[in-house]
Amino acid sequence: MLYTLYEGGYYAAAPLRSAARATRAYWNSPLNPARETPVGRRLFASADLFSNLTRRYGRPEWGIDSVRIGEVDVQVRQVQVWADPWVRLTHFARDPLDLRRAGRTAAEPAVLIVAPLSGHYATLLRDTVQTFLRDHEVYITEWSNARDVPLLEGRFDFHDYLDHIRTLLRRLGPRCHVVAVCQPGPAVLAAAALMSEDGEDARPASMTFMGSPLDARFSPTVTNKLAEERPFAWFKSNMISTVPMPFAGAGRRVYPGFVQLYSFMSMNMDRHQDAHLKYLQDLMDGDGDSADKHLEFYDEYLSVLDLTEEFYLQTVDIVFQKYLLPRGELVHDGRAVQPSAITDIGLLTVEGELDDISGIGQTQAAHAMCSGLPDDLHADYIQPHVGHYGVFNGRRFREEIYPRVAAFIARQEARVTGSAG
């Protein structure tokens, strides 16, 4: 019912949205002599804000055509390496000739970035990808919007997600490096533990966890406390809805992206309201640069996807209520998941001092769980003055966090390739 009401509201607003777009076009036309008057700018700005707030936001484009390496602009193209109904593995392939011109002759480490499946598309990590492209062959998981996956494709739960990570690591071959950003942390650590126990050649050479809820008992945040205070049945009764027609996944039970978006925005509602009021004022003042930056951010932030009911509810249960992985009680396909089985995978944890989603200590907990690792394979870093998104995005990420991550990966690459001969 909730999903149907949401879609009904979207279509009910269609006439007003069309009128707003027409108004915006009229008052922004160079043929309109009143375009630059105070009244004209106010009408244009109001119509533009209404149109943007009520439109539908689809999957954003990556927009990564090149990366600057030294003094050379290296061309980049996206290549789909592997896909199934639930995920596609995308390789950001850098042009070999450009790389040679940039002085890069040796093969560089392959890095699998596991993007969160928690409401936003993988493009939220655009800055992360662009930064890693300086020194690595970058691959990323692009998870599907559950509302677009037909019921005939079956279920997709936490354990399926874990198996997909193992499949992708095998696809990339022996000893690549994996970076888990936020939500995927527990599944990535579990996958590495199982692959280590089995002695798989495809187990990663290193794993980096950035702002991940590996043990949500530490420094509980607002989201952690909500999961603790509400009974499991409450999440199933209040957070799950059925995908309506005409979506391909009609009939599938999901945790809708718009519900997740509301949860995100409600944590900082005043900040979002102020941002939109500033956008309105920037348009009225003719400050196009500031307005464009606002649109660039919200075009990404307001683009959300749905999660399957089973994946969402199992994540709440396993990660945020029962803490099965850190307690040593997670079982996958009848096997106990034992992070202590990891003995030769470099481990780096990165946290933000001001993170209000994954509190300090939640990511660091990986070190205690990976008790089989020698001391020289452990590394930890806490970035001062950044919140959750600053751990993998922005100036401090590029200038202070990434150099540490790149150096760690380089050390592990040298260790593995050296031991191989």
Side-chain angles (χ1 to χ4, degrees):
M1 179 62 72
L2 178 63
Y3 216 129
T4 302
L5 289 173
Y6 175 79
E7 287 297 307
Y10 170 78
Y11 288 109
L16 293 175
R17 191 161 47 250
S18 297
R21 288 171 178 168
T23 301
R24 178 177 62 183
Y26 177 78
W27 287 105
N28 197 42
S29 171
L31 301 178
N32 187 339
R35 172 187 177 188
E36 296 299 334
T37 64
V39 171
R41 299 307 303 171
R42 184 176 294 274
L43 289 172
F44 163 74
S46 300
D48 185 81
L49 181 62
F50 181 85
S51 177
N52 282 319
L53 286 176
T54 60
R55 72 179 177 90
R56 197 189 295 281
Y57 290 79
R59 181 192 293 267
E61 297 294 327
W62 281 101
I64 301 176
D65 299 318
S66 65
V67 59
R68 188 76 172 175
I69 300 178
E71 300 300 319
V72 178
D73 287 323
V74 177
Q75 298 302 303
V76 177
R77 62 189 179 93
Q78 296 171 45
V79 180
Q80 180 175 292
V81 175
W82 184 87
D84 76 355
W86 297 105
V87 69
R88 65 185 182 195
L89 177 62
T90 298
H91 177 206
F92 289 87
R94 301 171 299 171
D95 185 88
L97 293 177
D98 288 345
L99 282 175
R100 282 199 290 271
R101 288 195 301 113
R104 304 294 180 86
T105 57
E108 294 185 310
V111 172
L112 171 63
I113 300 177
V114 183
L117 179 53
S118 57
H120 284 102
Y121 290 95
T123 49
L124 190 68
L125 304 185
R126 184 179 291 102
D127 193 27
T128 316
V129 170
Q130 287 177 310
T131 305
F132 270 90
L133 278 169
R134 298 175 190 170
D135 309 288
H136 307 92
E137 287 297 326
V138 177
Y139 300 79
I140 195 167
T141 59
E142 295 197 73
W143 303 103
S144 301
N145 190 337
R147 77 180 185 192
D148 297 328
V149 182
L151 277 173
L152 289 176
E153 299 295 346
R155 291 165 48 89
F156 182 80
D157 61 18
F158 179 89
H159 297 281
D160 295 319
Y161 182 86
L162 193 163
D163 282 334
H164 273 69
I165 293 170
R166 296 170 72 187
T167 297
L168 298 178
L169 287 169
R170 291 166 185 152
R171 179 74 190 187
L172 294 183
R175 313 316 301 268
C176 75
H177 305 265
V178 62
V179 176
V181 180
C182 189
Q183 171 268 328
V188 169
L189 182 57
L194 293 170
M195 296 175 81
S196 293
E197 188 174 13
D198 291 342
E200 292 195 40
D201 291 339
R203 67 191 184 279
S206 76
M207 48 188 178
T208 299
F209 298 99
M210 310 181 77
S212 295
L214 294 166
D215 189 343
R217 293 174 294 182
F218 289 95
S219 305
T221 63
V222 172
T223 53
N224 301 144
K225 291 175 181 177
L226 173 64
E228 287 182 343
E229 293 168 358
R230 304 283 187 180
F232 182 78
W234 182 90
F235 289 93
K236 186 167 186 175
S237 300
N238 293 275
M239 295 296 187
I240 304 301
S241 191
T242 302
V243 177
M245 294 291 289
F247 297 109
R252 184 178 293 281
R253 297 280 288 171
V254 299
Y255 174 48
F258 61 83
V259 175
Q260 176 77 318
L261 181 62
Y262 174 78
S263 300
F264 282 145
M265 297 190 73
S266 64
M267 294 173 63
N268 297 286
M269 188 60 73
D270 290 343
R271 184 185 305 172
H272 291 293
Q273 290 173 345
D274 290 344
H276 283 87
L277 288 174
K278 183 178 184 302
Y279 171 69
L280 185 67
Q281 188 63 51
D282 288 338
L283 288 178
M284 290 189 291
D285 293 342
D287 185 355
D289 290 342
S290 296
D292 287 345
K293 289 180 181 178
H294 173 95
L295 285 179
E296 182 180 352
F297 173 80
Y298 278 100
D299 281 353
E300 189 73 55
Y301 192 78
L302 298 177
S303 299
V304 291
L305 52 77
D306 298 346
L307 284 59
T308 66
E309 173 186 35
E310 55 273 14
F311 174 80
Y312 171 72
L313 292 178
Q314 284 186 356
T315 299
V316 170
D317 182 53
I318 291 171
V319 178
F320 296 106
Q321 289 194 337
K322 293 181 179 176
Y323 318 107
L324 295 184
L325 183 61
R327 285 178 168 170
E329 299 173 2
L330 179 61
V331 175
H332 179 76
D333 285 345
R335 297 173 56 188
V337 177
Q338 304 178 65
S340 59
I342 300 173
T343 60
D344 64 351
I345 301 176
L347 170 61
L348 171 62
T349 55
V350 181
E351 296 181 317
E353 178 189 21
L354 307 179
D355 196 330
D356 60 354
I357 294 180
S358 297
I360 293 290
Q362 294 188 15
T363 311
Q364 289 176 332
H367 296 284
M369 286 187 267
C370 296
S371 57
L373 277 177
D375 291 344
D376 61 345
L377 294 189
H378 289 268
D380 173 61
Y381 179 66
I382 299 176
Q383 175 62 47
H385 313 304
V386 302
H388 186 69
Y389 293 100
V391 171
F392 56 87
N393 176 69
R395 180 180 60 82
R396 286 197 171 97
F397 163 70
R398 293 189 296 270
E399 297 178 1
E400 301 180 45
I401 295 175
Y402 171 74
R404 290 174 167 86
V405 176
F408 180 80
I409 289 175
R411 290 196 302 273
Q412 305 313 313
E413 181 75 3
R415 171 180 60 86
V416 172
T417 56
S419 64

